[in-house]
Structure formats: C-alpha cells, structure tokens
Amino acid sequence: MKDAINIYVEQDGGERIELEAPLDMNLSVMEVLKANEFPVQAVCGGMAICATCHVEVLQSGELPDMSDDEAYMLETLPHATDTSRLSCQLRVTPELDGLVVRIMPEA
Amino acid sequence: MDKITTDICIVGAGPVGLFAVFEAGLLKMRCHVVDALPAVGGQLSEIYPKKPIYDIPGFPEVLAGDLVKNLEQQIAPFHPTFTLGERVDDLEKLDDGSFIVRTVAGTEIACKVVVIAGGLGSFEPRKPAIEHLDKYEKNGVEYMVRDPEHFRDKRVVISGGGDSALDWTIFMAGLCKELTLVHRGTTFRGAPESAAKVLSMAEEGQINLILKSNVTEVHGEEKLEAVTVMVDNTTPHQIEVDNFIPLFGLVPKLGPIEDWGLELEKNAILVNTEDYSTNIPGIYAIGDINTYPGKLKLILCGFHEAALMAQSAYNIIYPDKKFVLKYTTVNGIQELQA
Ligand SMILES: Cc1cc2nc3c(=O)[nH]c(=O)nc-3n(C[C@H](O)[C@H](O)[C@H](O)COP(=O)(O)OP(=O)(O)OC[C@H]3O[C@@H](n4cnc5c(N)ncnc54)[C@H](O)[C@@H]3O)c2cc1C
Ligand code: FES
C-alpha cells in the first residue's frame, strides 16, 4: 500500500502544484495546505466554523459526504460554488489521491 | 474624543495582551488596553469560548471563556483601563521617544511603550465579491449593524444565512419600511429558533425572504439605489433599496498593523527573542502576531513573551532604576492605585 497520496493546487494561471500528503498522520487537506505554506488562514483550526480554509474542488474521485456543519457554512458563503468544500473537513485518505483544488479568496 | 495617558499601551486584549498587564503591573507599570472587538479575550472569546484548553500549565483542563475570566481577575489589582470596540489605526512616535496611539474613533493614548498583542489581526467583515461594492460603502452599504435606528423607515436588503443575518432580520423587521433577506441556501446555519422565526415572518409577509439567491450587482448614482438579486442563479430581479447589509461573518486581517513601519515576515511582526522588541525601539510584539525562528502560536508561549517584554520595557519607563526579579510568593501583589 502507498504511504502517501498526491494533491494538486491549481494556481491562477492554470499551473498545478503537486503536493505529497502522508496517509499515516491523520491530516486534513487544510493541514497539508498549511504545511506547504499556502495562504489558508484556517482561523478556527478545523472546526468548520470560519470558512477560511475554503477550496473549490476542480477534479476528484468520490469525496466523503459533507457534515451538516460544513454544508451550512458553505451555504452562507457569498462566493461558494457547487464544488466548494472546507479543506479542513477533507481527511487525507487513499480515495483523495489526485485531488485538484483551487484555494478560494477569503473576502 | 478621549485623551488617555499611560505607561504602556497594549494593542489587543487577547489572552496575551491581558497577561501582559499582569507582568507590567508587577513592575509598577500602568497599562491601557485597546481592542477592535467589543469584548476582551481575543480568539478565545470570539472563536471558541466553550472549548476546553488542555495545555495551560497547572490547568489540566480549562474552558477558553473561563481562562479569560481568570485573566481578568488576575490583572484586576493593577487597574488597567480599556478602550473596546475601537481598532487602532495609527501609531505616531514623538521626538522624545514616546508614542501617540490613535483609534478609528479618534481616541488618543499617550504612552512610553507600545505592546502589540494583535493576534491574527483585527476581525473584519467578510465582503462578497460584487463589483463596485466599495463605491457605496458608507453610502448605503454597511457590513455591520452598529445602530439599528439608522435603518428606521428605510428599505433594506440583508444577505447571509448565519446567526447575525437571522438576528438582525428579526430585530429590524418592525423598524424598516421594507426588509428583504437574501440567502444562498435553503436552510440556515443560525440557531434553529431564529430560523423558524424568520420563516414564519416571511409567511406572514413581515419580511421578504429570497432563498437560493445571491445579490450580484449594486446600482446607484452617488448613493446606493438598487441591488440585483440573481434568483435561483438564473433570473435577475432588481430591488430598490436604501441600504444593503451583507452579513457573512468575520475574518481576521492584519489591517493597519501593516503600515506602522515594522519589519514583517509572512503577515507577522519580526522580533528579537531577547525581549520581543521590534525594529522600532519602544514597540514590542507578543503572542500570535510575532514571529521568530521556532515560533509556536500557543497561549503558553505568548505568556512567556509577555514576561520578557515587561522586564525590557521597565528599562524604558524607569531608566534610572535597575530591574530586580522578585517572586510573587515572596512579595505578593502590590496593587497599583486606580
Ligand atoms: C479553535 C482554536 C483552538 C485553539 N486551541 C489552543 C490550545 O489548546 N492551546 C493554545 O495554547 N492555543 C490554542 N489556540 C491558539 C490561541 O488561541 C492563540 O495562540 C491565542 O489566542 C493568541 O493570543 P493573542 O493574545 O496573541 O491574540 P488573539 O487572541 O488573536 O487576540 C488578539 C486581539 O487583538 C485585537 N486586534 C488586532 N489588531 C488590532 C488593532 N489594530 N486594533 C485593535 N485591536 C486589534 C483583535 O481584535 C484580538 O482581540 C487555539 C486557537 C483556535 C482558533
Ligand atoms: S479551518 Fe475553519 S472552517 Fe476549516
């Protein structure tokens, strides 16, 4: 079994930056983004109450369902799209391999 | 306009700013604390008041809100003064080395030392991406309800689906001439009672409720005159309004701190770990707002930084006295005169 997956962050120009996300550390995608110094504030530290870890999913396999908290939070965001997610709620699992996200502006 | 004189002006009333009052007070230095938020406690009060913290030494578990209360109690003997609900916008260094700290509301604090304990920055409203929105700021577009009376007999559109959007809709329904709530979703994140109340008010015609919709355009010559609501993401619908109030929560922004001539690295103030001083003599930065090799954004670390800052600030405030470390166990707490 692989011990890490790859996640891609699409930049404004369309370029995709590849990140390696270890599977054995119980990380969220938010934590992977932060560890790689992407500009996600993640103010609430992963409690699904601040939406400062908002990403748009551009490409993925089956994603885990949203909790009510995540769904409500995204519904109240002015610029959320149909494929918006809170990256703190996405756990790094083998199913996420190849995920492509775009980091959404905060305000 | 108030004018306040003190030894140390602390910018930020989070846990670290509060504890700095204690460390300064032990050395007989008076403090005035300013915060943009209306309550003290910083992130602990604003984000997680009901959550337990497990890594405060000596407290196996303490609720964030209780830690803030304890800190307030601990610093009470030093009679700090506070300006709450006003953001600090400007710092001026005078020729004699002292400072004037100014808030948005024009309050001025004259002090010998400035301690920036601004955490993640000040919490600012999240603004929707609508073209030309900024043109109408103060001219019809408001991001906060400061005084609901301001909206009496006005035609108002509120957008958002969280607690503050619901609460203000309920509160202002009787006040406004016409009130419309626009929400992207079909359900509300706020308290269930508030959501039920808003739905029943809409049924009774006390408010207009437009779900699954966004405000996408704002119009007007000088001041705001109308907004366009994209209904179901397909049908534009124009509403004539006096005010548009987007309520989408708060996001921390470094804000004015960026413009004070301090050396920054990745949105944080670079400090010397000997005493947490910045590149400007007389200005210190402690807690989440600072950075140095090995920095950890923890309350514990901020407390340590406050203690070292205080002994260094002592040399500025009492240049003729020599700093001597005294234990509280031996000396107790010498109350400062109010
Ligand atoms: C969900 C969550 C859980 C956490 N759990 C822990 C934990 O278990 N243990 C731990 O040690 N830490 C924890 N932290 C981190 C901890 O909360 C921070 O380290 C701490 O709050 C930093 O304190 P501070 O006083 O430096 O800043 P803050 O608490 O951020 O306070 C800064 C204050 O400064 C004000 N301010 C900023 N700029 C201005 C300005 N220009 N004018 C006026 N006011 C201004 C802000 O309004 C704010 O009130 C957690 C954080 C979060 C979000
Ligand atoms: S970090 Fe706050 S919602 Fe994800």
Side-chain angles (χ1 to χ4, degrees):
Chain A
M1 212 179 94
K2 289 211 297 184
D3 53 8
I5 59 169
N6 291 320
I7 292 176
Y8 301 83
V9 181
E10 186 165 301
Q11 303 293 94
D12 281 348
E15 179 204 354
R16 290 180 175 182
I17 299 175
E18 182 182 273
L19 307 179
E20 187 156 289
L23 285 163
D24 60 349
M25 287 173 68
N26 189 29
L27 293 176
S28 68
V29 171
M30 174 273 277
E31 288 162 335
V32 174
L33 294 173
K34 273 195 90 132
N36 285 281
E37 302 196 355
F38 281 93
V40 279
Q41 286 204 62
V43 174
C44 78
M47 295 195 295
I49 57 168
C50 73
T52 57
C53 66
H54 176 195
V55 296
E56 186 178 24
V57 174
L58 301 177
Q59 211 172 298
S60 74
E62 185 89 20
L63 289 179
D65 286 344
M66 283 190 209
S67 66
D68 286 351
D69 284 346
E70 183 181 359
Y72 287 161
M73 189 71 229
L74 286 170
E75 273 200 337
T76 60
L77 272 190
H79 47 278
T81 70
D82 290 344
T83 63
S84 280
R85 292 297 299 248
L86 298 177
S87 60
C88 69
Q89 303 299 304
L90 294 172
R91 293 273 132 212
V92 173
T93 57
E95 293 74 41
L96 247 59
D97 200 10
L99 177 76
V100 183
V101 298
R102 182 165 79 91
I103 296 172
M104 296 292 270
E106 253 139 38
Chain B
M1 198 206 299
D2 289 338
K3 189 136 197 181
I4 295 151
T5 305
T6 189
D7 293 327
I8 301 182
C9 179
I10 300 175
V11 182
V16 177
L18 293 178
F19 191 65
V21 173
F22 182 82
E23 289 294 332
L26 286 180
L27 301 176
K28 302 208 169 351
M29 299 183 286
R30 287 169 188 289
C31 297
H32 184 81
V33 189
V34 191
D35 204 298
L37 293 172
V40 302
Q43 296 171 49
L44 282 65
S45 303
E46 184 61 29
I47 307 177
Y48 60 106
K50 298 270 183 275
K51 291 257 167 193
I53 306 177
Y54 301 100
D55 58 352
I56 303 298
F59 289 90
E61 178 179 339
V62 56
L63 293 185
D66 290 342
L67 181 64
V68 173
K69 272 195 223 128
N70 288 349
L71 283 165
E72 287 186 86
Q73 197 187 335
Q74 192 171 23
I75 64 178
F78 301 122
H79 301 288
T81 47
F82 290 92
T83 300
L84 297 178
E86 294 182 23
R87 191 180 69 189
V88 172
D89 269 4
D90 186 36
L91 284 190
E92 185 186 345
K93 187 163 186 166
L94 306 179
D95 290 340
D96 66 359
S98 71
F99 297 89
I100 303 285
V101 174
R102 276 190 203 86
T103 73
V104 260
T107 305
E108 291 193 347
I109 299 119
C111 58
K112 298 193 189 86
V113 165
V114 177
V115 173
I116 303 174
L120 305 170
S122 60
F123 287 85
E124 306 277 333
R126 177 181 268 132
K127 300 180 181 180
I130 301 172
E131 224 180 320
H132 308 309
L133 191 63
D134 50 346
K135 177 175 159 191
Y136 304 103
E137 286 173 9
K138 303 229 155 61
N139 256 324
V141 173
E142 307 278 345
Y143 300 104
M144 258 182 228
V145 181
R146 286 197 182 82
D147 177 13
E149 276 302 318
H150 183 70
F151 304 102
R152 183 174 287 279
D153 299 325
K154 299 280 173 58
R155 298 160 304 172
V156 174
V157 168
I158 293 180
S159 71
D163 275 319
S164 60
L166 293 174
D167 292 349
W168 285 118
T169 300
I170 294 168
F171 190 88
M172 299 211 308
L175 206 70
C176 300
K177 185 167 159 196
E178 195 181 286
L179 182 63
T180 306
L181 175 64
V182 179
H183 175 37
R184 263 194 67 227
T186 47
T187 49
F188 289 101
R189 182 169 53 93
E193 320 79 80
S194 316
K197 173 98 182 142
V198 163
L199 293 174
S200 77
M201 288 170 88
E203 250 163 53
E204 287 161 20
Q206 297 170 33
I207 58 162
N208 304 316
L209 178 62
I210 311 182
L211 296 175
K212 288 204 287 183
S213 307
N214 278 314
V215 172
T216 51
E217 288 170 36
V218 284
H219 316 273
E221 284 288 323
E222 290 294 304
K223 54 191 268 305
L224 183 72
E225 290 164 20
V227 299
T228 301
V229 178
M230 195 59 80
V231 181
D232 277 341
N233 278 329
T234 47
T235 326
H237 170 59
Q238 193 156 327
I239 306 176
E240 286 181 21
V241 294
D242 300 300
N243 295 100
F244 170 43
I245 317 177
L247 296 173
F248 293 114
L250 302 174
V251 194
K253 290 263 162 70
L254 197 54
I257 294 175
E258 238 166 329
D259 308 320
W260 296 344
L262 296 163
E263 229 177 297
L264 301 177
E265 191 181 277
K266 290 192 200 121
N267 273 334
I269 302 172
L270 262 176
V271 289
N272 176 346
T273 49
E274 202 169 298
D275 56 1
Y276 302 96
S277 56
T278 66
N279 60 313
I280 303 180
I283 305 185
Y284 297 81
I286 56 176
D288 279 11
I289 192 80
N290 76 14
T291 188
Y292 51 83
K295 168 72 183 178
L296 288 178
K297 289 189 184 181
L298 287 176
I299 298 165
L300 162 79
C301 301
F303 287 172
H304 160 82
E305 294 162 14
L308 267 62
M309 171 285 292
Q311 58 83 24
S312 173
Y314 185 80
N315 296 322
I316 298 178
I317 288 166
Y318 297 111
D320 304 328
K321 294 190 190 165
K322 201 168 155 28
F323 168 78
V324 185
L325 175 71
K326 291 184 178 166
Y327 291 128
T328 55
T329 346
V330 179
N331 269 45
I333 302 288
Q334 314 284 312
E335 186 166 341
L336 288 182
Q337 293 299 309

